[in-house]
Amino acid sequence: MQTARCGSPLSRTRARHSSMSRARVLVTGAGGFIGSHLVSSLKREGHAVRGADLKYPEFSPTSADEYIICDLREVREATPAFRDVDYVCALAADIGGMGHISKNEADILTNNTLISINSLRLATRYRVERFLFASSACVYPMTLQTAPESPALQEDAVLPADPQGAYGWEKLFSEQACRYYSEQHRLDVRVARLHNIYGPEGTYQGGREKAPAAICRKVAAAQPCDAIEIWGDGGQTRSFCYISDCVDALSRLLASNITQPVNIGSEEAISIESLARKIISVSGKKLDLRFTDGPEGVRGRTSDSTRAHRLLDWRPTTPLDAGLARTYEWIAAQLQRA
Ligand code: NAD
Ligand code: GDD
């Protein structure tokens, strides 16, 4: 594994904490969307990175120094991944957009609970210095998200618990598990609550795709004057955070001493209809929208990212229009290649 360059948030923090100037980082879920981008970013920062996943990244080769194919639900398979690392970024999960998480709740609960608990146990067993858990905006109470203009979600609003479905319940359970491992076993944990992350090299077909990628795909595949299918009436709102901003925030959080959960998300709420119209505009096509029944999830969700601004000095820097243009271009190119 290589020597780190100085200057990244993580290496600066390590320099303060120990004589080492680089970290050995395990990224679980390294074959997925955020994991593969995070591996590349950690490598650019000069760290020694091990990836672990059921699969290799689909769209470009991994930048990891070492890559372990394993099923983290099986503790014996997972064990080698956790040996001899300083930091763990726990991103592996059975995840998708509304089309996936609304229909596979028993499997999601089972898979993700096993992954999370195994990861915490092994991180503790091998005395890793720090453990970052990728949680979700789905932990927040559904009752706070019933209107398109629902107030932005602050971290402390998470209790009393009423999270979204099995996916949200598991994330909330695993956040609590992080706390108990921290209290009983002194595991130093970081919790990132991610709000709808999008960008190139994310899943765009097959049923797990989230709204930005799904709509980009539909628009890219459409013929002139087609109508694009949108689930719901289009009035539901979300905020969308571009992948490079997300990875930057994860890196800052990992390097920080912030043990409270931190929202990582854009504060720019937009309706799904407006999102679709923006994507159509990026494409330059003339297309209509057709609103259909589909899994809608909450009616309105936005991140309050004050804590990340204040404690991590982080704000998303990629405007939605720019991020959507890059995402659309990438998905359109994938469709042309197929
Ligand atoms: P992704 O599906 O692209 O990546 C998840 C990866 O986990 C996949 O490569 C998958 O193969 C791997 N995985 C699943 N089960 C596994 C197992 N049993 N053993 C080993 N690997 C396994 O998803 P993503 O968008 O990159 O999400 C990464 C993390 O961020 C997840 O924990 C997710 O819940 C969280 N998150 C993502 C978003 C988002 O908008 N993308 C929002 C909130 C939270
Ligand atoms: N996926 C998808 N596909 N959603 C669509 C579509 C479509 O073709 N058309 C309209 N939508 C609407 C959905 O009905 C939903 O109301 C909204 O777009 C957003 O859907 P998703 O992007 O699939 O999911 P989400 O924002 O409700 O939840 C996602 O973000 C969470 C974090 O904020 C999921 O990916 C969760 O897993 C994640 O944790």
Side-chain angles (χ1 to χ4, degrees), residues 145-158:
Q145 305 171 70
T146 54
E149 64 285 358
S150 298
L153 294 160
Q154 289 181 331
E155 287 86 350
D156 292 342
V158 75

Side-chain angles (χ1 to χ4, degrees), residues 94-101 135-139 164 167-168 171 193-197 207-215 217-218 228-232 234 236-240 272 275 292 294-299 301:
D94 183 349
I95 185 231
M98 279 311 303
H100 180 69
I101 64 173
S135 185
S136 165
C138 291
V139 296
Q164 189 185 347
Y167 174 76
K171 289 291 188 190
R193 290 191 185 142
L194 307 181
H195 290 247
N196 213 318
I197 313 302
R208 288 179 188 259
E209 60 278 15
K210 291 177 271 90
I215 298 171
R217 185 201 70 232
K218 292 177 190 184
I228 301 303
E229 213 173 80
I230 299 295
W231 299 342
Q236 65 272 47
T237 57
R238 295 292 186 275
S239 64
F240 298 99
I272 298 299
L275 176 79
T292 63
E296 288 183 50
V298 296
R299 188 66 180 154
R301 173 186 286 153

